Amino acid sequence: MKRTPYFMLSLAAMIGSSLVADEFDVVAAWEKDCQKCHAEDGSGLTKKGRKLRLKDYRDPEVQAKMSDEEIVKAINEGVKEDGEFTMNAYGEDYTEEEINAFLAYVRSLAK
């Protein structure tokens, strides 16, 4: 089953992240910095998300096409389209462990 590796990766990242950053609440951070565009459920079905044509992170096919490295890079460096940021960079706001918790959270959104 294709979900099993993602589940195991997510679980390992969450456990590893919680051991290092036990004070970090990834859901609260998602609500603060990500939800306005990506939606609570990762669907991207918000006013901003629709405008930017964001991917639906609930879709296993979308998840399969995204590498962990691409997700981490987007979180760290932001996303630019036509020379303008469509997603802010959060590399200076979060630690590596916290960014890995975001990665695990994004992976957990797949149905």
Side-chain angles (χ1 to χ4, degrees):
M1 180 179 234
K2 288 187 177 184
R3 282 197 237 170
T4 302
Y6 289 129
F7 173 76
M8 296 304 290
L9 175 65
S10 297
L11 183 61
M14 283 188 268
I15 291 170
S17 295
S18 68
L19 293 174
V20 177
D22 58 351
E23 300 295 319
F24 183 65
D25 183 348
V26 70
V27 175
W30 176 269
E31 290 171 355
K32 176 181 166 280
D33 290 322
C34 310
Q35 186 170 309
K36 61 187 161 264
C37 296
H38 292 284
E40 181 179 358
D41 62 358
S43 66
L45 297 176
T46 65
K47 186 176 180 179
K48 254 184 148 173
R50 285 183 182 102
K51 182 180 177 184
L52 295 170
R53 289 176 262 130
L54 297 182
K55 296 174 183 165
D56 184 349
Y57 293 151
R58 301 171 303 168
D59 184 339
E61 289 182 29
V62 168
Q63 290 272 352
K65 291 178 183 176
M66 299 184 313
S67 72
D68 291 351
E69 292 78 16
E70 289 171 319
I71 296 169
V72 168
K73 181 178 180 182
I75 296 167
N76 274 316
E77 300 175 14
V79 177
K80 277 188 175 183
E81 192 170 299
D82 298 326
E84 294 197 27
F85 279 100
T86 57
M87 180 178 141
N88 293 332
Y90 292 99
E92 293 184 11
D93 299 331
Y94 294 103
T95 67
E96 183 177 347
E97 291 82 11
E98 292 167 342
I99 289 172
N100 285 331
F102 275 116
L103 169 63
Y105 187 77
V106 168
R107 293 298 190 195
S108 75
L109 297 170
K111 292 181 181 179

